[in-house]
């Protein structure tokens, strides 16, 4: 099977990091296809950047929509453009944070999430996914994804401290909420499960592909048809304009 690993920012090093984590988690026979958008923010940290990245990500997905993919994993911790991507693509789509949280729900009553910087957008993301009642705490590490790539040991130590605080608050598992944290769980210790969104997403997509669920033909997630757009990439415009059954 083939899984498209779609970064939503333009930092190629993060795509490379996430690809390594995805390939380590994948079952034999699963091919991971990495992709990085042609424009947008280097790292998403604001609402404006997230909106711009949504456009870039949808154009990226449209370029791959005809490749008989079995699943798409959004390698961005904000789960950027997830709902739109789900409507657009003909295969299952998961956000990396969504995937880790779904696994967390099977590991205990409540889970914590550690990320970079502020947590307000993640609090909203938890509410949008319907997970708020199961979140024991959110922790923001005073570091950036760029600093993680440049000095992983120092940032890993900060993440370790945040995990300990979340466990003390009652987390039964902890989600690593950042694409730049992909693969970091191997360098951390905790008395509860640490959930890498890339690894969780790959495994869940393998399961979804095996279920062979049909695409909805009605409702808000039915594929768009006959829509006219201007100023976007030919691939995205063509995908939305084509008639669907």
């Amino acid at each position: 099977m083939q899984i498209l690993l779609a970064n939503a920012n333009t930092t190629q090093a993060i795509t490379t990091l996430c690809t390594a984590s995805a390939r380590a988690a994948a079952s034999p026979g699963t091919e991971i296809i990495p992709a990085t958008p042609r424009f947008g923010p280097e790292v998403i940290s604001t609402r404006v950047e997230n909106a711009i990245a949504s456009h870039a990500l949808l154009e990226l997905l449209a370029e791959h929509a005809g490749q008989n993919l079995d699943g798409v994993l959004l390698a961005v911790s904000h789960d950027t453009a997830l709902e739109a991507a789900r409507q657009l693509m003909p295969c299952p789509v998961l956000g990396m944070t969504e995937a880790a949280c779904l696994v967390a729900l099977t590991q205990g009553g409540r889970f914590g999430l550690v990320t970079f910087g502020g947590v307000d957008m993640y609090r909203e993301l938890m509410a949008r996914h319907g997970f708020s009642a199961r979140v024991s705490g959110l922790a923001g590490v005073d570091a950036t994804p760029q600093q993680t790539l440049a000095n992983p040991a120092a940032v890993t130590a900060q993440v370790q401290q945040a995990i300990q605080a979340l466990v003390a608050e009652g987390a039964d598992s902890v989600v690593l909420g950042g694409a730049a944290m992909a693969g970091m769980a191997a360098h951390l210790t905790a008395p509860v499960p640490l959930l890498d969104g890339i690894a969780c997403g790959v495994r869940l997509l393998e399961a979804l592909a095996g279920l062979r669920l049909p695409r909805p033909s009605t409702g808000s997630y039915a594929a768009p048809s006959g829509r006219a757009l201007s100023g976007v990439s030919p691939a995205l415009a063509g995908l939305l304009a084509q008639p669907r059954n």
Side-chain angles (χ1 to χ4, degrees):
M1 64 177 294
Q2 293 184 323
I3 293 176
L4 179 69
L5 181 83
N7 192 356
N9 59 63
T10 58
T11 302
Q12 182 61 43
I14 292 180
T15 304
T16 300
L17 188 68
C18 291
T19 301
S21 180
R23 287 174 175 162
S27 300
T30 296
E31 179 185 2
I32 304 298
I33 304 171
T36 307
R38 66 180 181 85
F39 70 92
E42 291 184 1
V43 173
I44 301 165
S45 61
T46 67
R47 298 181 193 280
V48 174
E49 290 170 318
N50 201 39
I52 294 169
S54 294
H55 177 189
L57 180 61
L58 292 176
E59 288 200 351
L60 181 67
L61 296 183
E63 293 171 3
H64 292 268
Q67 297 183 1
N68 296 320
L69 298 171
D70 297 289
V72 173
L73 178 58
L74 305 183
V76 53
S77 60
H78 293 287
D79 292 347
T80 301
L82 174 60
E83 291 83 2
R86 229 169 232 157
Q87 185 182 16
L88 183 72
M89 297 299 286
C91 60
V93 179
L94 283 175
M96 63 171 289
T97 299
E98 172 193 42
C101 292
L102 287 170
V103 175
L105 297 180
T106 72
Q107 300 303 301
R110 301 191 302 161
F111 66 90
L113 182 147
V114 57
T115 188
F116 298 117
V119 299
D120 287 343
M121 291 179 65
Y122 287 90
R123 185 174 290 109
E124 294 171 9
L125 181 62
M126 294 300 101
R128 190 158 67 248
H129 285 326
F131 299 147
S132 295
R134 302 284 293 275
V135 176
S136 61
L138 303 172
V141 172
D142 186 17
T144 65
Q146 295 96 324
Q147 290 170 330
T148 300
L149 296 171
N151 190 357
V155 176
T156 298
Q158 292 179 265
V159 173
Q160 181 73 67
Q161 292 178 349
I163 289 169
Q164 292 171 346
L166 288 168
V167 172
E169 292 175 2
D172 298 312
S173 61
V174 175
V175 170
L176 304 180
M181 291 184 189
M184 189 181 287
H187 307 287
L188 298 164
T189 58
V192 300
L194 301 178
L195 303 174
D196 181 321
I198 298 297
C200 292
V202 167
R203 286 297 194 169
L204 288 178
L205 282 170
E206 289 177 339
L208 286 171
L211 289 173
R212 301 186 183 278
L213 301 174
R215 283 293 308 277
S217 58
T218 187
S220 65
Y221 282 89
S225 176
R227 310 306 302 172
L229 285 83
S230 61
V232 301
S233 71
L236 183 57
L239 192 57
L240 271 70
Q242 70 185 36
R244 307 288 184 104
N245 294 330

